[in-house]
Amino acid sequence: MGYRMLKNLISVVVAMALLCSLSTRAATTSPEQVKPAEVHIGIYANQLLGMSIKDNNFDIDYYLWLRWKDPELKPNSSIELLNGRQSCQTIAEEQKKDWFYVTLRCVSKVTRFWDLSRFPLDDQVLELVFEDNNNDIAALKYIPDTPNSNISKVFNVSGWKVGELYTADSKVKCNTLVFNG
C-alpha cells in the first residue's frame, strides 16, 4: 500500500541585533539620544540551491536589502549571517532624499540542525539569522520589511511543499569576553 507524503518547508527570515555585539557607535552616543538607529531589512528568496540532512545545512540564493536614514551607518558592510557563511555582492546603492538604500545579492551556506522526530511527517523551518557586527541593540535596531519580503515562485524543493516566508525580530542577550592586547 503506497501513500504520498507531503511535507511543509517554511522559510523564515529573522532579523536581529544582538546585545553582545560590541558597539562602535554606542560609546559616542549622547545621553539625549537614547533611540537606536533603525535599519529596515528585507529579503527575496530566489532558490534553494541544496539541502543536506546529513551535513546539517542548506544553501540558499537571495536578495537582501537595507534602508536607513543615519548617514554615519554603513549596515551593508557590517551585516552578518549569524547561522552560516554568506557571500554577498552589492548590486544597487543609492540615496533618495533622507533615505539610503542598498541591495545585495547573496548566496549562503546555512547551518540547520534538523528536527526529524516526526519523520516522515515533519515540517522544517529554514532560518536566516542576521546581526550587525559593529553595533549593539542600543545603537542599531533591525526592522523587518515584511510587506516587501517574499519567496520566488521557482523556489522548489522536490518532495516538499514550500510554505510562507515570515519575518521576526528578536533580542538575544549573551556574555562576551573582550580581550585587549
Side-chain angles (χ1 to χ4, degrees), residues 48-61:
L48 192 64
L49 302 172
M51 186 171 151
S52 174
I53 302 291
K54 178 183 166 249
D55 296 327
N56 293 308
N57 62 44
F58 64 92
D59 298 298
I60 186 169
D61 173 10

Side-chain angles (χ1 to χ4, degrees), residues 36-155:
E38 294 181 345
V39 176
H40 299 261
I41 177 174
I43 190 169
Y44 183 80
N46 290 321
Q47 65 182 180
L48 192 64
L49 302 172
M51 186 171 151
S52 174
I53 302 291
K54 178 183 166 249
D55 296 327
N56 293 308
N57 62 44
F58 64 92
D59 298 298
I60 186 169
D61 173 10
Y62 57 96
Y63 288 97
L64 186 72
W65 58 86
L66 305 162
R67 177 173 48 95
W68 71 97
K69 285 190 171 186
D70 187 339
E72 292 182 27
L73 288 177
K74 301 287 183 245
N76 52 311
S77 63
S78 59
I79 191 166
E80 180 181 357
L81 179 66
L82 194 61
N83 60 332
R85 294 184 316 265
Q86 68 186 15
S87 174
C88 296
Q89 181 178 17
T90 302
I91 60 169
E93 201 168 354
E94 63 181 312
Q95 180 180 357
K96 289 182 183 175
K97 297 186 181 180
D98 294 340
W99 288 95
F100 296 90
Y101 297 86
V102 171
T103 303
L104 305 168
R105 176 80 183 262
C106 303
V107 174
S108 297
K109 181 175 282 299
V110 183
T111 302
R112 175 71 176 127
F113 297 101
W114 310 102
D115 178 5
L116 302 174
S117 60
R118 293 190 59 232
F119 181 82
L121 303 173
D122 55 316
D123 295 343
Q124 296 297 331
V125 176
L126 304 182
E127 188 174 49
L128 300 174
V129 182
F130 296 99
E131 74 166 346
D132 188 281
N133 60 20
N134 288 340
N135 299 288
D136 66 12
I137 199 162
L140 185 140
K141 178 177 170 62
Y142 284 125
I143 309 291
D145 186 3
T146 304
N148 295 310
S149 295
N150 210 340
I151 301 174
S152 170
K153 290 181 178 27
V154 298
F155 193 98

